[in-house]
């Protein structure tokens, strides 16, 4: 059997071309992705994905990647830091895990691509605590991965089959009831709407198939892949600021120069001060995180605890930035919070960003970091008090989890 024209291995240049075409397709469909998200989510998926993929293009343009694994990891880290909401850590994890699986390979053939993508899809499932049938991007990724593996000797056929399967998976989400993410709040009312993450997944796999076949996602479907792949139907300032005790400061404004975000935090105590457990607040809103920190320092006066804020997006919008979280944790762990770092998050996607941040940390720092499931306000107050009197990380984490007991008892008694 003769093979269709196209490439049979993806090298670094081909992967850059794929990500370029991802950006082009998502940009062209950004309004449609946002409209899908408006029906069952936050109405920002298209804008977020457009921003994130544009940032990936800019990073990859600079080059300097020794392996395709390094290229894919960088793409993932960029998405984690620039795409707000759950999509940033999910897509970021996909590319980071894909890059780790690719390792030092010079190129990926059909089998190598399937293996690398399998690692990426497993990362999405683990990060989102999700499986197929729950109306998420996995409902497009999973069938695409299966189709990709059905043509182990032909990259063109494999990627075309994956794109078709992703599109079919995208369409299948319309009849599903959402049980994960913001869409799950709608329960049965989510039926009749296509999942925006599945829609952007279909675009990403269409871009891949077109690059492999020799076409262009930006050619309006007239490239070599147009016949094989159906077009989808109708997705700085690092947000971190330190506070704590008498040394707290107001959160940096959204338009603060980027250099200020990555500069070392100001010393908040003399160098002779003993190390203790520090706290990092991960929130979609910088104002909310700063207000929570101010509340804790006011309610538990007289204590000196290092609290860093990693909240909001560089443009001042709502969202979380995994790279900002990683930077905040590192600053705390290397300073007076070297006894350990407790991370408190306001919503589920903020937890995903915190988890993605852990993958970017040096092992000694990651080993001394805990992500807490405690309620944001009560957990912070309890953790602040425990850290302020010198408790260890286990005790601080336990205090955060039990801090809402008094409120629960009051509600139960009323």
């Amino acid at each position: 059997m003769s093979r269709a024209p196209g490439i049979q291995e993806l090298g670094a240049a081909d992967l850059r071309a794929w990500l370029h075409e991802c950006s082009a397709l998502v940009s062209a469909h950004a309004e449609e992705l946002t409209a899908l998200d408006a029906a069952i989510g936050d109405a920002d998926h298209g804008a977020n994905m457009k921003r994130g993929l544009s940032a990936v293009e800019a990073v990859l343009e600079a080059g300097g990647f020794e392996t395709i694994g390094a290229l894919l990891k960088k793409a993932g880290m960029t998405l984690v830091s620039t795409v707000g909401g759950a999509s940033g850590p999910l897509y970021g994890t996909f590319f980071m895990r894909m890059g780790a699986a690719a390792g030092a390979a010079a190129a990926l053939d059909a089998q190598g691509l399937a293996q690398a993508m399998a690692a990426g899809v497993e990362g999405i499932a683990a990060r989102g605590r999700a499986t197929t049938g729950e109306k998420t991007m996995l409902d497009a990724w999973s069938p695409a991965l299966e189709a990709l593996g059905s043509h182990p000797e032909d990259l063109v056929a494999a990627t075309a089959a994956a794109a078709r399967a992703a599109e079919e998976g995208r369409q299948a989400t319309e009849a599903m009831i959402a049980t994960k993410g913001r869409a799950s709040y709608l329960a049965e009312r989510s039926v009749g709407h296509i999942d925006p993450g599945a829609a952007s997944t279909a675009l990403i796999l269409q871009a891949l198939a077109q690059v492999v076949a020799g076409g262009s996602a930006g050619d309006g479907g007239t490239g070599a892949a147009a016949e094989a792949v159906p077009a989808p139907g109708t997705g700085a300032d690092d947000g971190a600021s330190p506070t704590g005790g008498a040394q707290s400061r107001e959160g940096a404004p959204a338009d603060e120069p980027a250099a200020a975000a990555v500069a070392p935090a100001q010393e908040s105590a003399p160098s002779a001060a003993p190390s203790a457990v520090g706290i990092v607040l991960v929130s979609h809103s910088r104002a909310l995180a700063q207000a929570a920190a101010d509340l804790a320092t006011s309610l538990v006066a007289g204590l000196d605890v290092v609290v860093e804020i990693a909240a909001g997006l560089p443009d001042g919008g709502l969202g979380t930035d995994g790279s900002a979280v990683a930077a905040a944790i590192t600053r705390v762990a290397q300073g007076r919070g070297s006894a350990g770092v407790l991370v408190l998050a306001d919503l589920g996607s903020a937890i995903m960003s915190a988890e993605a941040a852990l993958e970017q940390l040096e092992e000694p720092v990651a080993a001394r970091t805990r992500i807490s499931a405690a309620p944001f306000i009560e957990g912070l107050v309890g953790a602040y008090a425990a850290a302020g009197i010198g408790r260890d990380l286990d005790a601080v984490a336990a205090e955060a989890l039990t801090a809402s007991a008094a409120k629960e008892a009051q509600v139960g008694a009323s």
Side-chain angles (χ1 to χ4, degrees):
M1 181 187 302
S2 62
R3 290 177 173 177
I7 61 176
Q8 291 299 327
E9 287 190 333
L10 288 165
D14 304 308
L15 291 170
R16 283 196 296 269
W18 171 33
L19 290 163
H20 169 77
E21 298 301 345
C22 286
S23 182
L25 260 185
V26 166
S27 293
H29 292 268
E31 292 185 3
E32 296 170 16
L33 292 173
T34 292
L36 292 176
D37 197 31
I40 58 175
D42 298 330
D44 59 4
H45 188 60
N48 285 349
M49 290 297 295
K50 180 178 179 179
R51 178 178 61 245
L53 287 167
S54 294
V56 168
E57 281 196 277
V59 168
L60 297 187
E61 187 68 26
F65 304 102
E66 296 183 359
T67 65
I68 60 175
L71 184 152
L72 290 167
K73 286 181 182 179
K74 185 62 176 179
M77 291 173 66
T78 303
L79 290 173
V80 166
S81 65
T82 56
V83 180
S87 296
L90 290 174
Y91 275 122
T93 296
F94 171 80
F95 283 106
M96 287 191 288
R97 297 283 180 89
M98 188 180 174
L108 296 174
D109 59 11
Q111 293 186 51
L113 178 64
Q115 292 170 356
M117 280 200 165
V121 173
E122 289 172 4
I124 291 174
R127 180 70 70 238
R129 311 292 198 275
T131 187
T132 54
E134 295 182 314
K135 201 182 184 86
T136 71
M137 64 173 64
L138 277 179
D139 293 302
W141 277 117
S142 292
L145 182 62
E146 183 177 354
L148 189 70
S150 66
H151 299 277
E153 305 301 328
D154 189 342
L155 187 62
V156 176
T159 53
R164 288 193 295 270
E167 174 60 16
E168 291 169 1
R170 167 197 183 279
Q171 291 299 126
T173 64
E174 187 171 9
M176 295 178 182
I177 295 175
T179 58
K180 291 289 181 181
R182 196 65 52 83
S184 66
Y185 299 170
L186 299 177
E188 288 81 1
R189 287 178 294 160
S190 64
V191 174
H193 301 285
I194 289 171
D195 179 69
S200 57
T201 296
L203 292 172
I204 286 171
L205 286 161
Q206 182 190 350
L208 175 62
Q210 293 190 212
V211 166
V212 169
S216 169
D219 65 6
T222 60
E227 296 180 2
V229 184
T234 70
D237 182 351
D238 68 357
S241 61
T243 182
Q247 290 75 33
S248 75
R249 69 175 175 86
E250 293 296 319
D255 59 353
E256 182 175 337
V262 296
Q266 295 179 351
E267 288 190 7
S268 53
S271 58
S275 63
V277 173
I279 299 170
V280 171
L281 299 179
V282 183
S283 172
H284 288 68
S285 166
R286 177 187 290 275
L288 172 63
Q290 186 64 56
D294 292 343
L295 178 64
T297 57
S298 297
L299 290 176
V300 193
L303 300 181
D304 183 16
V305 180
V306 175
V307 179
E308 285 247 2
I309 293 171
L313 296 177
D315 62 3
L318 300 178
T320 54
D321 177 343
S323 293
V325 178
I329 292 171
T330 299
R331 285 195 295 271
V332 173
Q334 292 177 346
R336 289 192 300 115
S338 59
V341 182
L342 186 70
V343 180
L344 293 162
D346 62 354
L347 294 171
S349 56
I351 294 174
M352 290 185 196
S353 290
E355 291 174 335
L358 290 185
E359 295 191 20
Q360 302 178 43
L361 298 174
E362 296 292 333
E363 179 56 33
V365 174
R368 302 197 308 276
T369 301
R370 303 277 181 83
I371 300 174
S372 176
F376 196 61
I377 301 299
E378 292 88 347
L380 171 59
V381 174
Y384 192 95
I389 60 174
R391 306 291 295 276
D392 63 19
L393 181 58
D394 288 339
V396 172
E399 188 63 33
L401 283 172
T402 60
S404 62
K407 184 168 74 173
E408 292 169 358
Q410 179 68 30
V411 171
S414 60

